[in-house]
Amino acid sequence: MADDRNLQIAAQQVRQALSDKGQRPSIAGFFDEATNTVSYVVHDPASGEAAIIDSVLDFEAASGRTSNGSADRIVEYVTSNDLQVAWLIETHAHADHISAAPYLQEKLGGKLAIGRGIIRVQEVFGKLFNAGTDFERDGSQFDRLFDDGDRFHIGEIEATALHVPGHTPADMAFIIGDAAFIGDTMFMPDFGTARADFPGGDAGQLFRSIRRLLELPEETRLFLCHDYKAPGRDEYAWETSVGQQRAHNVHVRDGVSEEEFVEMRTTRDRKLAMPALIMPSVQVNIRGGRLPEPEDNGVSYIKIPVNAV
């Protein structure tokens, strides 16, 4: 990783934040037990500028009804703390929950952002769902497409986007001050790593992305997108560190080779069921969290491809 200039910049940003409290963000996590997803509000204490990461729209599959209870918890937190939302960030196009970003954008403002790899995901799933020519496959549903190494700010706090594909082609990690929001790459050390068997996924690529993240300083705070409570652990958890992952991650700790990881991950993924909400989630999230256009009766429909996956 010696020639990875973007990683070096991110690592220097973390070191600066560790030595300067003004560069450390305040972070609130909101756990949605129905989808085992953690959403975050990250803000600069000095200015009150904030980002919302990986929000959840409540969805009842049996009835097809959506609701905003989870998102409204975030709205209440933002408004009660007098924060100004600058960014609505998706670490990737989630397969296990629908994004609430459009609802939050309407309520709170901010730019909707994701990695540029979403274009590849749109191409793959646009074909699967036979979305037609009206569905733009260019990422235009988002206000900003991040590339590896892109820099931005939340208030006065520096942030860097890193491309970490493997789970999907669009996965990004966002290093904000001394904290890294790593999406579906790693879970808590006792649970391991994300699956890599979705279209465009690649276990070897996931290993390399994770090892890249683990080159950040050991004190880097890591905030996870999901937790499922590993056997023997009774409480949900979603914050860890680079040092803890390097020492204890059951799938990818120091000393595990890429070959060993790929064999483990491939074998494990063959046994996993598809996420319960994958069809509605992906179909909506590739549209930036917006439902498909209503048909002539004014109703939006979610397609379920039969015997296609």
Side-chain angles (χ1 to χ4, degrees), residues 17 39 46 58 61 80 124 132 169 179 190 196-197 214 229 257 287 299:
S39 305
D58 300 321
S80 65
V124 171
D190 58 1
D197 60 331
L214 295 182
K229 289 197 296 192
S257 70
R287 293 175 164 87
V299 177

Side-chain angles (χ1 to χ4, degrees), residues 54-72:
D54 290 338
S55 60
V56 174
L57 181 73
D58 300 321
F59 179 74
E60 185 182 80
S63 66
R65 291 191 176 276
T66 64
S67 57
N68 301 310
S70 296
D72 283 338

Side-chain angles (χ1 to χ4, degrees), residues 197-212:
D197 60 331
F198 294 151
D202 183 280
Q205 194 174 52
L206 177 60
F207 177 86
R208 295 187 293 274
S209 291
I210 290 172
R211 293 310 307 182
R212 188 186 191 207

Side-chain angles (χ1 to χ4, degrees), residues 10 40 52 59 73 77 98 104 126 164 179 228 231 257 264 270:
Y40 297 98
I52 298 171
F59 179 74
R73 291 167 60 205
Y77 178 85
I98 295 174
L104 291 169
V164 287
Y228 304 96
S257 70
M264 176 282 301
R270 289 195 191 104

Side-chain angles (χ1 to χ4, degrees), residues 221-238:
R221 295 185 287 164
L222 300 182
F223 291 88
L224 316 178
C225 192
H226 299 287
D227 187 55
Y228 304 96
K229 289 197 296 192
R233 175 158 55 86
D234 295 328
E235 301 293 330
Y236 290 111
W238 48 82

Side-chain angles (χ1 to χ4, degrees), residues 145-177:
L145 300 181
F146 280 110
D147 291 302
D148 188 73
D150 279 354
R151 310 292 302 282
F152 62 107
H153 286 81
I154 297 172
E156 297 301 316
I157 296 177
E158 294 184 348
T160 304
L162 294 178
H163 188 211
V164 287
H167 174 64
T168 80
D171 280 66
M172 301 292 290
F174 293 91
I175 320 304
I176 302 172

Side-chain angles (χ1 to χ4, degrees), residues 225-278:
C225 192
H226 299 287
D227 187 55
Y228 304 96
K229 289 197 296 192
R233 175 158 55 86
D234 295 328
E235 301 293 330
Y236 290 111
W238 48 82
E239 180 180 352
T240 178
S241 70
V242 166
Q244 290 168 347
Q245 294 282 17
R246 292 187 65 162
H248 302 297
N249 188 287
V250 294
H251 293 167
V252 73
R253 64 189 176 275
D254 287 355
V256 175
S257 70
E258 180 173 343
E259 182 179 6
E260 291 170 330
F261 176 83
V262 169
E263 181 178 0
M264 176 282 301
R265 189 71 265 169
T266 302
T267 300
R268 184 178 176 89
D269 288 350
R270 289 195 191 104
K271 302 174 183 177
L272 296 177
M274 297 297 283
L277 296 182
I278 186 171

Side-chain angles (χ1 to χ4, degrees), residues 12 17 21 27 29 44 48 72 76 81 100 102 109 123 141 144 164 172 184 195 206-207 211 227 262 277 293 298:
Q12 178 56 35
K21 288 186 177 180
I27 300 164
D44 171 17
D72 283 338
E76 201 281 330
N81 286 279
E123 290 171 348
Q141 299 84 352
R144 171 75 180 269
V164 287
M172 301 292 290
D184 286 18
R195 66 196 297 165
L206 177 60
F207 177 86
R211 293 310 307 182
D227 187 55
V262 169
L277 296 182
E293 286 295 318

